[in-house]
Amino acid sequence: MSYSIGQVAEKLGITIDTIRYYDKSGLLPFVKRNEIGRREFTDNDLHLMRTIVCLKNAGVSITDIASFISLRLDGDDTLDQRYQLLKAHEQDLQQQITDLQDTMSYLRFKEWYYETATEAGHEDIHFVPGTNEVKPELDQEYDAHLKTTDQLDELARFANVKDYRLRKN
Amino acid sequence: MSYSIGQVAEKLGITIDTIRYYDKSGLLPFVKRNEIGRREFTDNDLHLMRTIVCLKNAGVSITDIASFISLRLDGDDTLDQRYQLLKAHEQDLQQQITDLQDTMSYLRFKEWYYETATEAGHEDIHFVPGTNEVKPELDQEYDAHLKTTDQLDELARFANVKDYRLRKN
DNA sequence: ATATATGCTGGAGCTGACTTCAGGACAAGC
DNA sequence: GCTTGTCCTGAAGTCAGCTCCAGCATATAT
């Protein structure tokens, strides 16, 4: 059982052109061609391509994914290198998530700012009277916000660790 | 008290050129110039620019940030629009975080895959005997993973909601 | 047998977000 | 009065990651 490029595009939710671009970029050296030169994808190819798409979603560059794939072709000697590569990107990803969560809490703070301003009908409830400057104590309000999300984050980290241990045992 | 473009770049951790680029792109219409045409940034400008940098971190495009800023210039009538804009980007951001968390759990799964393979010394412990195909039950292993992170996510959502309610009261 | 769909390639084009460059103005210290 | 440092502008260049195009081959349906 094999799939055409169009079917794969459908299954993975990416375009045909993107798949061809990935192939050009050395991400799909394992994909075989049939007699008339068309790509034929196996279930296993799909499996691997899901990993590729996933790494891409994690913000891993095409070049880095290519090295990962090329390590794979070199066989069992590179298992540990591949593990290390993933581990490194996990760190990266955790950082990205933390950053986004911080941004989120800043957004929530700004929402509160506009929510209260809308209720009041004018923005200057947050200004120093007689100026166009934001009240300094708003920074503290923001800090308080950051703190609650930090706690959330710790909670998440704890849950992750637990999850990790469960899997290992 | 005002700051030069260099000082602001330093404070915000971005380059001078990036600031000028933002200005060109209409993100900084509020920044005033001195007699000889140089930009002079106030504390309030810095405040706003922090919001801009934050929106950028949240993956909001320059064009969208520009509309936000332009709404701001239109005064109190646009308070609700600005709130809605932020709210929309919050949804977006939440989606991004969820996506990254999914990716993370896939990465963790792959790490387990390579960890166990490294221990065994060869990758084929995960293959269907006699082939180069990954065992189908590994998909279930992956699914199990996804499930634990979904729970985590719900936990996080619950915590967020609680946090939100605390703020509103 | 012809129309339609799907595939192929090489190469050009596009978008977003910068980054660099050429050429020049002003300010301060020596 | 000269050097050094910081600033200005418009315009061109860069990079990643696609996306589109021309021109052609093959497969299926009518």
Side-chain angles (χ1 to χ4, degrees), chain A residues 44 47 51 54 76 82 90 106 111 122-123 132 139 145 152 160 167, chain B residues 44 47 51 54 76 82 90 106 111 122-123 132 139 145 152 160 167:
Chain A
N44 208 39
H47 210 90
T51 306
C54 162
D76 287 339
R82 283 183 261 167
E90 184 193 326
Y106 188 78
E111 279 167 25
H122 39 83
E123 185 171 357
N132 266 324
D139 284 333
H145 253 271
L152 212 181
N160 279 344
R167 217 197 47 237
Chain B
N44 209 38
H47 211 90
T51 305
C54 163
D76 287 340
R82 283 184 261 167
E90 184 193 328
Y106 189 78
E111 278 165 26
H122 39 82
E123 186 169 357
N132 266 327
D139 284 333
H145 252 272
L152 211 181
N160 279 343
R167 217 197 47 234

PDB file of all heavy atoms in Angstrom, chain A residues 44 47 51 54 76 82 90 106 111 122-123 132 139 145 152 160 167, chain B residues 44 47 51 54 76 82 90 106 111 122-123 132 139 145 152 160 167:
ATOM      1  N   ASN A  44       5.183   3.965   6.532  1.00  0.00           N
ATOM      2  CA  ASN A  44       6.320   4.342   7.359  1.00  0.00           C
ATOM      3  C   ASN A  44       6.836   5.730   6.992  1.00  0.00           C
ATOM      4  O   ASN A  44       7.221   6.516   7.868  1.00  0.00           O
ATOM      5  CB  ASN A  44       7.430   3.301   7.194  1.00  0.00           C
ATOM      6  CG  ASN A  44       8.285   3.213   8.428  1.00  0.00           C
ATOM      7  OD1 ASN A  44       7.769   3.294   9.543  1.00  0.00           O
ATOM      8  ND2 ASN A  44       9.581   3.068   8.248  1.00  0.00           N
ATOM      9  N   HIS A  47       4.728   8.173   8.676  1.00  0.00           N
ATOM     10  CA  HIS A  47       5.101   8.226  10.087  1.00  0.00           C
ATOM     11  C   HIS A  47       6.240   9.228  10.293  1.00  0.00           C
ATOM     12  O   HIS A  47       6.167  10.122  11.132  1.00  0.00           O
ATOM     13  CB  HIS A  47       5.549   6.828  10.496  1.00  0.00           C
ATOM     14  CG  HIS A  47       5.287   6.524  11.915  1.00  0.00           C
ATOM     15  ND1 HIS A  47       4.107   5.944  12.348  1.00  0.00           N
ATOM     16  CD2 HIS A  47       6.019   6.739  13.029  1.00  0.00           C
ATOM     17  CE1 HIS A  47       4.143   5.813  13.641  1.00  0.00           C
ATOM     18  NE2 HIS A  47       5.286   6.290  14.092  1.00  0.00           N
ATOM     19  N   THR A  51       6.673  13.204  12.013  1.00  0.00           N
ATOM     20  CA  THR A  51       7.729  13.693  12.909  1.00  0.00           C
ATOM     21  C   THR A  51       8.315  14.993  12.370  1.00  0.00           C
ATOM     22  O   THR A  51       8.536  15.955  13.101  1.00  0.00           O
ATOM     23  CB  THR A  51       8.843  12.636  13.050  1.00  0.00           C
ATOM     24  OG1 THR A  51       8.268  11.405  13.466  1.00  0.00           O
ATOM     25  CG2 THR A  51       9.889  13.089  14.060  1.00  0.00           C
ATOM     26  N   CYS A  54       5.994  17.801  12.829  1.00  0.00           N
ATOM     27  CA  CYS A  54       5.977  18.118  14.249  1.00  0.00           C
ATOM     28  C   CYS A  54       7.194  18.946  14.655  1.00  0.00           C
ATOM     29  O   CYS A  54       7.070  19.936  15.368  1.00  0.00           O
ATOM     30  CB  CYS A  54       5.894  16.817  15.027  1.00  0.00           C
ATOM     31  SG  CYS A  54       6.366  16.936  16.725  1.00  0.00           S
ATOM     32  N   ASP A  76      22.252   2.907  13.583  1.00  0.00           N
ATOM     33  CA  ASP A  76      22.173   2.846  15.033  1.00  0.00           C
ATOM     34  C   ASP A  76      23.259   3.634  15.765  1.00  0.00           C
ATOM     35  O   ASP A  76      23.079   4.007  16.918  1.00  0.00           O
ATOM     36  CB  ASP A  76      22.217   1.378  15.491  1.00  0.00           C
ATOM     37  CG  ASP A  76      20.905   0.651  15.189  1.00  0.00           C
ATOM     38  OD1 ASP A  76      19.877   1.351  15.019  1.00  0.00           O
ATOM     39  OD2 ASP A  76      20.900  -0.585  15.132  1.00  0.00           O
ATOM     40  N   ARG A  82      20.782  11.504  17.931  1.00  0.00           N
ATOM     41  CA  ARG A  82      19.413  11.900  17.609  1.00  0.00           C
ATOM     42  C   ARG A  82      18.649  12.234  18.889  1.00  0.00           C
ATOM     43  O   ARG A  82      17.910  13.208  18.951  1.00  0.00           O
ATOM     44  CB  ARG A  82      18.699  10.771  16.850  1.00  0.00           C
ATOM     45  CG  ARG A  82      19.126  10.698  15.409  1.00  0.00           C
ATOM     46  CD  ARG A  82      18.358   9.632  14.668  1.00  0.00           C
ATOM     47  NE  ARG A  82      19.114   8.393  14.551  1.00  0.00           N
ATOM     48  CZ  ARG A  82      18.592   7.225  14.173  1.00  0.00           C
ATOM     49  NH1 ARG A  82      17.303   7.132  13.913  1.00  0.00           N
ATOM     50  NH2 ARG A  82      19.343   6.157  14.072  1.00  0.00           N
ATOM     51  N   GLU A  90      13.790  20.099  22.841  1.00  0.00           N
ATOM     52  CA  GLU A  90      12.770  20.125  23.894  1.00  0.00           C
ATOM     53  C   GLU A  90      12.988  21.341  24.791  1.00  0.00           C
ATOM     54  O   GLU A  90      12.051  22.041  25.149  1.00  0.00           O
ATOM     55  CB  GLU A  90      12.807  18.850  24.734  1.00  0.00           C
ATOM     56  CG  GLU A  90      11.675  18.837  25.758  1.00  0.00           C
ATOM     57  CD  GLU A  90      11.826  17.766  26.821  1.00  0.00           C
ATOM     58  OE1 GLU A  90      12.351  16.682  26.513  1.00  0.00           O
ATOM     59  OE2 GLU A  90      11.427  18.038  27.974  1.00  0.00           O
ATOM     60  N   TYR A 106       0.670  39.027  29.944  1.00  0.00           N
ATOM     61  CA  TYR A 106       0.708  40.458  29.635  1.00  0.00           C
ATOM     62  C   TYR A 106      -0.554  40.863  28.863  1.00  0.00           C
ATOM     63  O   TYR A 106      -1.176  41.881  29.160  1.00  0.00           O
ATOM     64  CB  TYR A 106       1.962  40.789  28.821  1.00  0.00           C
ATOM     65  CG  TYR A 106       2.175  42.272  28.637  1.00  0.00           C
ATOM     66  CD1 TYR A 106       2.697  43.040  29.676  1.00  0.00           C
ATOM     67  CD2 TYR A 106       1.857  42.910  27.447  1.00  0.00           C
ATOM     68  CE1 TYR A 106       2.895  44.398  29.521  1.00  0.00           C
ATOM     69  CE2 TYR A 106       2.048  44.276  27.284  1.00  0.00           C
ATOM     70  CZ  TYR A 106       2.569  45.013  28.327  1.00  0.00           C
ATOM     71  OH  TYR A 106       2.760  46.363  28.173  1.00  0.00           O
ATOM     72  N   GLU A 111      -5.924  43.291  28.626  1.00  0.00           N
ATOM     73  CA  GLU A 111      -7.367  43.126  28.476  1.00  0.00           C
ATOM     74  C   GLU A 111      -8.091  43.742  29.659  1.00  0.00           C
ATOM     75  O   GLU A 111      -9.091  44.429  29.500  1.00  0.00           O
ATOM     76  CB  GLU A 111      -7.731  41.640  28.356  1.00  0.00           C
ATOM     77  CG  GLU A 111      -7.526  41.112  26.952  1.00  0.00           C
ATOM     78  CD  GLU A 111      -7.568  39.603  26.900  1.00  0.00           C
ATOM     79  OE1 GLU A 111      -8.210  38.999  27.791  1.00  0.00           O
ATOM     80  OE2 GLU A 111      -6.938  39.030  25.999  1.00  0.00           O
ATOM     81  N   HIS A 122     -13.582  55.878  29.330  1.00  0.00           N
ATOM     82  CA  HIS A 122     -12.404  56.613  28.861  1.00  0.00           C
ATOM     83  C   HIS A 122     -11.143  56.007  29.463  1.00  0.00           C
ATOM     84  O   HIS A 122     -11.150  55.452  30.552  1.00  0.00           O
ATOM     85  CB  HIS A 122     -12.498  58.095  29.206  1.00  0.00           C
ATOM     86  CG  HIS A 122     -13.094  58.350  30.540  1.00  0.00           C
ATOM     87  ND1 HIS A 122     -12.351  58.297  31.678  1.00  0.00           N
ATOM     88  CD2 HIS A 122     -14.378  58.601  30.922  1.00  0.00           C
ATOM     89  CE1 HIS A 122     -13.141  58.545  32.714  1.00  0.00           C
ATOM     90  NE2 HIS A 122     -14.379  58.719  32.282  1.00  0.00           N
ATOM     91  N   GLU A 123     -10.080  56.161  28.683  1.00  0.00           N
ATOM     92  CA  GLU A 123      -8.832  55.485  29.039  1.00  0.00           C
ATOM     93  C   GLU A 123      -8.114  56.160  30.195  1.00  0.00           C
ATOM     94  O   GLU A 123      -7.337  55.524  30.901  1.00  0.00           O
ATOM     95  CB  GLU A 123      -7.928  55.466  27.786  1.00  0.00           C
ATOM     96  CG  GLU A 123      -6.644  54.677  27.965  1.00  0.00           C
ATOM     97  CD  GLU A 123      -5.881  54.493  26.650  1.00  0.00           C
ATOM     98  OE1 GLU A 123      -6.393  54.935  25.599  1.00  0.00           O
ATOM     99  OE2 GLU A 123      -4.794  53.908  26.689  1.00  0.00           O
ATOM    100  N   ASN A 132      -0.857  62.303  29.843  1.00  0.00           N
ATOM    101  CA  ASN A 132      -1.185  61.179  28.976  1.00  0.00           C
ATOM    102  C   ASN A 132      -0.324  59.977  29.329  1.00  0.00           C
ATOM    103  O   ASN A 132      -0.096  59.091  28.528  1.00  0.00           O
ATOM    104  CB  ASN A 132      -0.946  61.552  27.514  1.00  0.00           C
ATOM    105  CG  ASN A 132      -2.226  62.050  26.878  1.00  0.00           C
ATOM    106  OD1 ASN A 132      -3.305  61.544  27.202  1.00  0.00           O
ATOM    107  ND2 ASN A 132      -2.118  63.012  25.982  1.00  0.00           N
ATOM    108  N   ASP A 139       2.383  49.024  36.641  1.00  0.00           N
ATOM    109  CA  ASP A 139       3.465  48.056  36.496  1.00  0.00           C
ATOM    110  C   ASP A 139       3.369  46.989  37.575  1.00  0.00           C
ATOM    111  O   ASP A 139       3.632  45.820  37.326  1.00  0.00           O
ATOM    112  CB  ASP A 139       4.824  48.757  36.589  1.00  0.00           C
ATOM    113  CG  ASP A 139       5.136  49.513  35.298  1.00  0.00           C
ATOM    114  OD1 ASP A 139       4.626  49.098  34.246  1.00  0.00           O
ATOM    115  OD2 ASP A 139       5.891  50.489  35.373  1.00  0.00           O
ATOM    116  N   HIS A 145       0.312  39.946  38.110  1.00  0.00           N
ATOM    117  CA  HIS A 145      -0.162  39.022  37.086  1.00  0.00           C
ATOM    118  C   HIS A 145       0.841  37.981  36.720  1.00  0.00           C
ATOM    119  O   HIS A 145       0.552  36.800  36.620  1.00  0.00           O
ATOM    120  CB  HIS A 145      -0.487  39.797  35.835  1.00  0.00           C
ATOM    121  CG  HIS A 145      -1.915  39.863  35.705  1.00  0.00           C
ATOM    122  ND1 HIS A 145      -2.622  38.906  35.060  1.00  0.00           N
ATOM    123  CD2 HIS A 145      -2.781  40.704  36.251  1.00  0.00           C
ATOM    124  CE1 HIS A 145      -3.880  39.207  35.180  1.00  0.00           C
ATOM    125  NE2 HIS A 145      -3.996  40.285  35.892  1.00  0.00           N
ATOM    126  N   LEU A 152       1.276  28.977  37.980  1.00  0.00           N
ATOM    127  CA  LEU A 152       0.644  28.067  37.028  1.00  0.00           C
ATOM    128  C   LEU A 152       1.709  27.229  36.333  1.00  0.00           C
ATOM    129  O   LEU A 152       1.565  26.020  36.162  1.00  0.00           O
ATOM    130  CB  LEU A 152      -0.083  28.910  35.986  1.00  0.00           C
ATOM    131  CG  LEU A 152      -1.357  28.344  35.376  1.00  0.00           C
ATOM    132  CD1 LEU A 152      -1.856  29.340  34.367  1.00  0.00           C
ATOM    133  CD2 LEU A 152      -1.126  26.999  34.754  1.00  0.00           C
ATOM    134  N   ASN A 160       4.271  17.764  34.511  1.00  0.00           N
ATOM    135  CA  ASN A 160       5.111  17.167  33.476  1.00  0.00           C
ATOM    136  C   ASN A 160       6.066  16.158  34.065  1.00  0.00           C
ATOM    137  O   ASN A 160       6.250  15.081  33.530  1.00  0.00           O
ATOM    138  CB  ASN A 160       5.932  18.251  32.771  1.00  0.00           C
ATOM    139  CG  ASN A 160       5.112  18.961  31.720  1.00  0.00           C
ATOM    140  OD1 ASN A 160       4.070  18.451  31.325  1.00  0.00           O
ATOM    141  ND2 ASN A 160       5.578  20.116  31.280  1.00  0.00           N
ATOM    142  N   ARG A 167       5.874   7.442  32.953  1.00  0.00           N
ATOM    143  CA  ARG A 167       6.208   6.759  31.711  1.00  0.00           C
ATOM    144  C   ARG A 167       7.440   5.893  31.867  1.00  0.00           C
ATOM    145  O   ARG A 167       7.556   4.837  31.271  1.00  0.00           O
ATOM    146  CB  ARG A 167       6.443   7.777  30.608  1.00  0.00           C
ATOM    147  CG  ARG A 167       5.917   7.293  29.275  1.00  0.00           C
ATOM    148  CD  ARG A 167       6.505   8.079  28.157  1.00  0.00           C
ATOM    149  NE  ARG A 167       7.936   8.209  28.329  1.00  0.00           N
ATOM    150  CZ  ARG A 167       8.556   9.366  28.388  1.00  0.00           C
ATOM    151  NH1 ARG A 167       7.902  10.490  28.285  1.00  0.00           N
ATOM    152  NH2 ARG A 167       9.859   9.410  28.542  1.00  0.00           N
TER     153      ARG A 167
ATOM    154  N   ASN B  44       6.622  57.027  28.744  1.00  0.00           N
ATOM    155  CA  ASN B  44       5.357  56.484  28.267  1.00  0.00           C
ATOM    156  C   ASN B  44       5.534  55.782  26.914  1.00  0.00           C
ATOM    157  O   ASN B  44       4.932  54.736  26.667  1.00  0.00           O
ATOM    158  CB  ASN B  44       4.320  57.601  28.161  1.00  0.00           C
ATOM    159  CG  ASN B  44       2.920  57.079  28.364  1.00  0.00           C
ATOM    160  OD1 ASN B  44       2.699  56.190  29.195  1.00  0.00           O
ATOM    161  ND2 ASN B  44       1.987  57.576  27.586  1.00  0.00           N
ATOM    162  N   HIS B  47       6.810  52.446  27.544  1.00  0.00           N
ATOM    163  CA  HIS B  47       5.717  51.615  28.028  1.00  0.00           C
ATOM    164  C   HIS B  47       4.973  50.987  26.847  1.00  0.00           C
ATOM    165  O   HIS B  47       4.765  49.782  26.778  1.00  0.00           O
ATOM    166  CB  HIS B  47       4.761  52.480  28.842  1.00  0.00           C
ATOM    167  CG  HIS B  47       4.082  51.750  29.920  1.00  0.00           C
ATOM    168  ND1 HIS B  47       4.614  51.651  31.184  1.00  0.00           N
ATOM    169  CD2 HIS B  47       2.935  51.039  29.938  1.00  0.00           C
ATOM    170  CE1 HIS B  47       3.803  50.928  31.934  1.00  0.00           C
ATOM    171  NE2 HIS B  47       2.769  50.544  31.201  1.00  0.00           N
ATOM    172  N   THR B  51       4.659  47.033  25.062  1.00  0.00           N
ATOM    173  CA  THR B  51       3.448  46.341  24.600  1.00  0.00           C
ATOM    174  C   THR B  51       3.639  45.851  23.168  1.00  0.00           C
ATOM    175  O   THR B  51       3.289  44.723  22.829  1.00  0.00           O
ATOM    176  CB  THR B  51       2.227  47.279  24.656  1.00  0.00           C
ATOM    177  OG1 THR B  51       2.104  47.805  25.975  1.00  0.00           O
ATOM    178  CG2 THR B  51       0.958  46.546  24.284  1.00  0.00           C
ATOM    179  N   CYS B  54       5.868  42.929  23.077  1.00  0.00           N
ATOM    180  CA  CYS B  54       5.134  41.800  23.618  1.00  0.00           C
ATOM    181  C   CYS B  54       4.184  41.212  22.594  1.00  0.00           C
ATOM    182  O   CYS B  54       4.103  39.991  22.418  1.00  0.00           O
ATOM    183  CB  CYS B  54       4.400  42.261  24.868  1.00  0.00           C
ATOM    184  SG  CYS B  54       3.090  41.187  25.387  1.00  0.00           S
ATOM    185  N   ASP B  76     -10.851  57.299  22.862  1.00  0.00           N
ATOM    186  CA  ASP B  76     -11.669  56.416  23.690  1.00  0.00           C
ATOM    187  C   ASP B  76     -12.734  55.624  22.922  1.00  0.00           C
ATOM    188  O   ASP B  76     -13.180  54.577  23.382  1.00  0.00           O
ATOM    189  CB  ASP B  76     -12.341  57.229  24.801  1.00  0.00           C
ATOM    190  CG  ASP B  76     -11.339  57.636  25.876  1.00  0.00           C
ATOM    191  OD1 ASP B  76     -10.277  56.998  25.967  1.00  0.00           O
ATOM    192  OD2 ASP B  76     -11.632  58.590  26.620  1.00  0.00           O
ATOM    193  N   ARG B  82     -10.110  47.809  20.656  1.00  0.00           N
ATOM    194  CA  ARG B  82      -8.769  47.394  21.076  1.00  0.00           C
ATOM    195  C   ARG B  82      -8.857  46.170  21.974  1.00  0.00           C
ATOM    196  O   ARG B  82      -8.076  45.231  21.836  1.00  0.00           O
ATOM    197  CB  ARG B  82      -8.076  48.545  21.810  1.00  0.00           C
ATOM    198  CG  ARG B  82      -7.560  49.600  20.860  1.00  0.00           C
ATOM    199  CD  ARG B  82      -6.799  50.664  21.605  1.00  0.00           C
ATOM    200  NE  ARG B  82      -7.625  51.859  21.850  1.00  0.00           N
ATOM    201  CZ  ARG B  82      -7.293  52.830  22.690  1.00  0.00           C
ATOM    202  NH1 ARG B  82      -6.176  52.740  23.391  1.00  0.00           N
ATOM    203  NH2 ARG B  82      -8.083  53.879  22.849  1.00  0.00           N
ATOM    204  N   GLU B  90      -5.484  36.701  22.050  1.00  0.00           N
ATOM    205  CA  GLU B  90      -5.333  35.781  23.177  1.00  0.00           C
ATOM    206  C   GLU B  90      -5.729  34.374  22.750  1.00  0.00           C
ATOM    207  O   GLU B  90      -5.049  33.403  23.056  1.00  0.00           O
ATOM    208  CB  GLU B  90      -6.184  36.222  24.375  1.00  0.00           C
ATOM    209  CG  GLU B  90      -5.946  35.311  25.571  1.00  0.00           C
ATOM    210  CD  GLU B  90      -6.962  35.489  26.684  1.00  0.00           C
ATOM    211  OE1 GLU B  90      -7.457  36.610  26.863  1.00  0.00           O
ATOM    212  OE2 GLU B  90      -7.254  34.493  27.356  1.00  0.00           O
ATOM    213  N   TYR B 106       4.916  15.012  21.763  1.00  0.00           N
ATOM    214  CA  TYR B 106       5.412  14.157  20.693  1.00  0.00           C
ATOM    215  C   TYR B 106       6.930  14.019  20.800  1.00  0.00           C
ATOM    216  O   TYR B 106       7.484  12.930  20.687  1.00  0.00           O
ATOM    217  CB  TYR B 106       5.021  14.729  19.334  1.00  0.00           C
ATOM    218  CG  TYR B 106       5.302  13.791  18.183  1.00  0.00           C
ATOM    219  CD1 TYR B 106       4.466  12.721  17.919  1.00  0.00           C
ATOM    220  CD2 TYR B 106       6.422  13.973  17.374  1.00  0.00           C
ATOM    221  CE1 TYR B 106       4.726  11.852  16.872  1.00  0.00           C
ATOM    222  CE2 TYR B 106       6.683  13.107  16.322  1.00  0.00           C
ATOM    223  CZ  TYR B 106       5.837  12.049  16.069  1.00  0.00           C
ATOM    224  OH  TYR B 106       6.104  11.198  15.029  1.00  0.00           O
ATOM    225  N   GLU B 111      11.738  11.028  22.335  1.00  0.00           N
ATOM    226  CA  GLU B 111      12.898  10.872  23.217  1.00  0.00           C
ATOM    227  C   GLU B 111      12.869   9.501  23.867  1.00  0.00           C
ATOM    228  O   GLU B 111      13.902   8.828  23.965  1.00  0.00           O
ATOM    229  CB  GLU B 111      12.906  11.960  24.299  1.00  0.00           C
ATOM    230  CG  GLU B 111      13.493  13.254  23.802  1.00  0.00           C
ATOM    231  CD  GLU B 111      13.179  14.402  24.735  1.00  0.00           C
ATOM    232  OE1 GLU B 111      12.962  14.147  25.942  1.00  0.00           O
ATOM    233  OE2 GLU B 111      13.134  15.551  24.264  1.00  0.00           O
ATOM    234  N   HIS B 122      20.144  -0.721  19.401  1.00  0.00           N
ATOM    235  CA  HIS B 122      19.700  -0.676  18.005  1.00  0.00           C
ATOM    236  C   HIS B 122      18.229  -0.259  17.931  1.00  0.00           C
ATOM    237  O   HIS B 122      17.438  -0.529  18.838  1.00  0.00           O
ATOM    238  CB  HIS B 122      19.911  -2.024  17.311  1.00  0.00           C
ATOM    239  CG  HIS B 122      19.603  -3.194  18.186  1.00  0.00           C
ATOM    240  ND1 HIS B 122      18.340  -3.659  18.375  1.00  0.00           N
ATOM    241  CD2 HIS B 122      20.406  -3.948  18.980  1.00  0.00           C
ATOM    242  CE1 HIS B 122      18.366  -4.670  19.220  1.00  0.00           C
ATOM    243  NE2 HIS B 122      19.615  -4.872  19.603  1.00  0.00           N
ATOM    244  N   GLU B 123      17.909   0.379  16.809  1.00  0.00           N
ATOM    245  CA  GLU B 123      16.593   0.982  16.660  1.00  0.00           C
ATOM    246  C   GLU B 123      15.506  -0.055  16.401  1.00  0.00           C
ATOM    247  O   GLU B 123      14.335   0.185  16.673  1.00  0.00           O
ATOM    248  CB  GLU B 123      16.642   1.983  15.488  1.00  0.00           C
ATOM    249  CG  GLU B 123      15.366   2.788  15.324  1.00  0.00           C
ATOM    250  CD  GLU B 123      15.538   3.939  14.332  1.00  0.00           C
ATOM    251  OE1 GLU B 123      16.656   4.136  13.829  1.00  0.00           O
ATOM    252  OE2 GLU B 123      14.535   4.636  14.083  1.00  0.00           O
ATOM    253  N   ASN B 132      11.611  -2.595   8.168  1.00  0.00           N
ATOM    254  CA  ASN B 132      12.105  -1.295   8.614  1.00  0.00           C
ATOM    255  C   ASN B 132      10.948  -0.409   9.034  1.00  0.00           C
ATOM    256  O   ASN B 132      11.039   0.803   9.032  1.00  0.00           O
ATOM    257  CB  ASN B 132      12.881  -0.626   7.486  1.00  0.00           C
ATOM    258  CG  ASN B 132      14.355  -0.923   7.590  1.00  0.00           C
ATOM    259  OD1 ASN B 132      14.870  -1.057   8.705  1.00  0.00           O
ATOM    260  ND2 ASN B 132      15.026  -1.034   6.464  1.00  0.00           N
ATOM    261  N   ASP B 139       1.933   3.954  17.906  1.00  0.00           N
ATOM    262  CA  ASP B 139       0.972   5.039  17.766  1.00  0.00           C
ATOM    263  C   ASP B 139       0.112   5.148  19.022  1.00  0.00           C
ATOM    264  O   ASP B 139      -0.237   6.235  19.461  1.00  0.00           O
ATOM    265  CB  ASP B 139       0.067   4.804  16.548  1.00  0.00           C
ATOM    266  CG  ASP B 139       0.796   5.112  15.247  1.00  0.00           C
ATOM    267  OD1 ASP B 139       1.717   5.940  15.276  1.00  0.00           O
ATOM    268  OD2 ASP B 139       0.434   4.510  14.228  1.00  0.00           O
ATOM    269  N   HIS B 145       0.316   9.348  25.410  1.00  0.00           N
ATOM    270  CA  HIS B 145       1.046  10.550  25.752  1.00  0.00           C
ATOM    271  C   HIS B 145       0.242  11.787  25.608  1.00  0.00           C
ATOM    272  O   HIS B 145       0.220  12.657  26.462  1.00  0.00           O
ATOM    273  CB  HIS B 145       2.251  10.659  24.841  1.00  0.00           C
ATOM    274  CG  HIS B 145       3.410  10.367  25.620  1.00  0.00           C
ATOM    275  ND1 HIS B 145       4.070  11.317  26.306  1.00  0.00           N
ATOM    276  CD2 HIS B 145       3.953   9.195  25.933  1.00  0.00           C
ATOM    277  CE1 HIS B 145       5.014  10.735  26.982  1.00  0.00           C
ATOM    278  NE2 HIS B 145       4.967   9.447  26.766  1.00  0.00           N
ATOM    279  N   LEU B 152      -3.228  17.790  31.492  1.00  0.00           N
ATOM    280  CA  LEU B 152      -2.414  18.892  31.983  1.00  0.00           C
ATOM    281  C   LEU B 152      -2.994  20.218  31.505  1.00  0.00           C
ATOM    282  O   LEU B 152      -3.099  21.175  32.262  1.00  0.00           O
ATOM    283  CB  LEU B 152      -1.016  18.735  31.403  1.00  0.00           C
ATOM    284  CG  LEU B 152       0.158  19.224  32.228  1.00  0.00           C
ATOM    285  CD1 LEU B 152       1.430  18.982  31.437  1.00  0.00           C
ATOM    286  CD2 LEU B 152       0.017  20.666  32.604  1.00  0.00           C
ATOM    287  N   ASN B 160      -6.230  28.997  34.899  1.00  0.00           N
ATOM    288  CA  ASN B 160      -6.380  30.290  34.231  1.00  0.00           C
ATOM    289  C   ASN B 160      -7.720  30.926  34.555  1.00  0.00           C
ATOM    290  O   ASN B 160      -7.807  32.106  34.829  1.00  0.00           O
ATOM    291  CB  ASN B 160      -6.281  30.133  32.716  1.00  0.00           C
ATOM    292  CG  ASN B 160      -4.850  30.047  32.262  1.00  0.00           C
ATOM    293  OD1 ASN B 160      -3.954  30.409  33.017  1.00  0.00           O
ATOM    294  ND2 ASN B 160      -4.637  29.565  31.067  1.00  0.00           N
ATOM    295  N   ARG B 167      -9.264  38.076  39.366  1.00  0.00           N
ATOM    296  CA  ARG B 167      -8.948  39.424  38.937  1.00  0.00           C
ATOM    297  C   ARG B 167     -10.194  40.278  38.766  1.00  0.00           C
ATOM    298  O   ARG B 167     -10.197  41.455  39.046  1.00  0.00           O
ATOM    299  CB  ARG B 167      -8.163  39.377  37.632  1.00  0.00           C
ATOM    300  CG  ARG B 167      -7.102  40.454  37.566  1.00  0.00           C
ATOM    301  CD  ARG B 167      -6.651  40.652  36.174  1.00  0.00           C
ATOM    302  NE  ARG B 167      -7.775  40.751  35.301  1.00  0.00           N
ATOM    303  CZ  ARG B 167      -7.937  40.009  34.231  1.00  0.00           C
ATOM    304  NH1 ARG B 167      -7.065  39.097  33.911  1.00  0.00           N
ATOM    305  NH2 ARG B 167      -9.002  40.176  33.472  1.00  0.00           N
TER     306      ARG B 167
END
